[in-house]
Amino acid sequence: MNISVTRRAHFNAAHRLHNPAWTDEKNRAVFGLCNNPNYHGHNYEMEVRVTGEIDPETGMVVDLAWLAQLIKNEIEARFDHKNLNLDTEEFRDLIPSAENICLVIWRILRERLPEKFDLHVRLYETPRNSVEVG
Ligand code: NI
């Protein structure tokens, strides 16, 4: 029987959606306000869901304190209060859309999570808009 545990976390970051292969007009048309040349910020909320079997020795699927620390060290420390386009390796050549940010987060956590667990990451860019990977 699989059980899921979820940890919520958040970070604030700036970004700009821009495809350098396109004209300014096309970038504005496709990305709208998110193409603003001087960047803009979002309060990103994420839900990291780990699914697996309960360990009978602990009664837990995964130690939430350990998961919280992992998210803090690997995601918050990397992205919180950063300009994603300018300050991070991950988005130097990758458009920092919610989809891509969520996928990058998933890959970072996936590498550090034991294989026996399933991993799902949901990222809210606004309270009404979210994307999910996994
Ligand atoms: Ni935006």
Side-chain angles (χ1 to χ4, degrees):
M1 185 74 173
N2 279 332
I3 308 282
S4 294
V5 300
T6 302
R7 173 74 184 180
R8 290 183 69 102
H10 84 271
F11 58 94
N12 303 321
H15 76 164
R16 182 192 189 199
L17 303 186
H18 182 81
N19 185 333
W22 292 349
T23 63
D24 288 350
E25 290 70 27
K26 183 165 181 184
N27 271 289
R28 273 195 295 272
V30 172
F31 296 126
L33 288 172
C34 277
N35 183 242
N36 177 29
N38 292 329
Y39 307 93
H40 63 279
H42 290 280
N43 297 317
Y44 290 99
E45 290 282 336
M46 61 182 158
E47 292 171 1
V48 175
R49 179 154 53 95
V50 174
T51 304
E53 293 191 353
I54 296 173
D55 179 341
E57 287 189 331
T58 63
M60 299 187 287
V61 173
V62 65
D63 182 349
L64 272 166
W66 175 84
L67 183 62
Q69 197 62 44
L70 180 71
I71 294 167
K72 192 174 171 148
N73 292 344
E74 296 295 339
I75 308 301
E76 294 169 35
R78 198 183 297 247
F79 297 137
D80 189 34
H81 285 71
K82 298 287 173 64
N83 179 313
L84 297 176
N85 302 74
L86 301 181
D87 299 335
T88 73
E89 287 292 325
E90 290 79 4
F91 299 104
R92 189 149 298 162
D93 300 307
L94 181 67
I95 295 173
S97 60
E99 291 88 335
N100 277 333
I101 297 168
C102 196
L103 186 58
V104 164
I105 291 170
W106 185 90
R107 285 187 178 141
I108 292 168
L109 294 177
R110 181 68 275 182
E111 266 183 30
R112 289 154 180 83
L113 200 67
E115 260 183 50
K116 64 180 177 178
F117 297 123
D118 278 342
L119 174 66
H120 301 266
V121 177
R122 179 177 287 276
L123 182 75
Y124 289 84
E125 193 168 75
T126 73
R128 291 180 183 180
N129 296 340
S130 71
V131 300
E132 185 171 9
V133 174

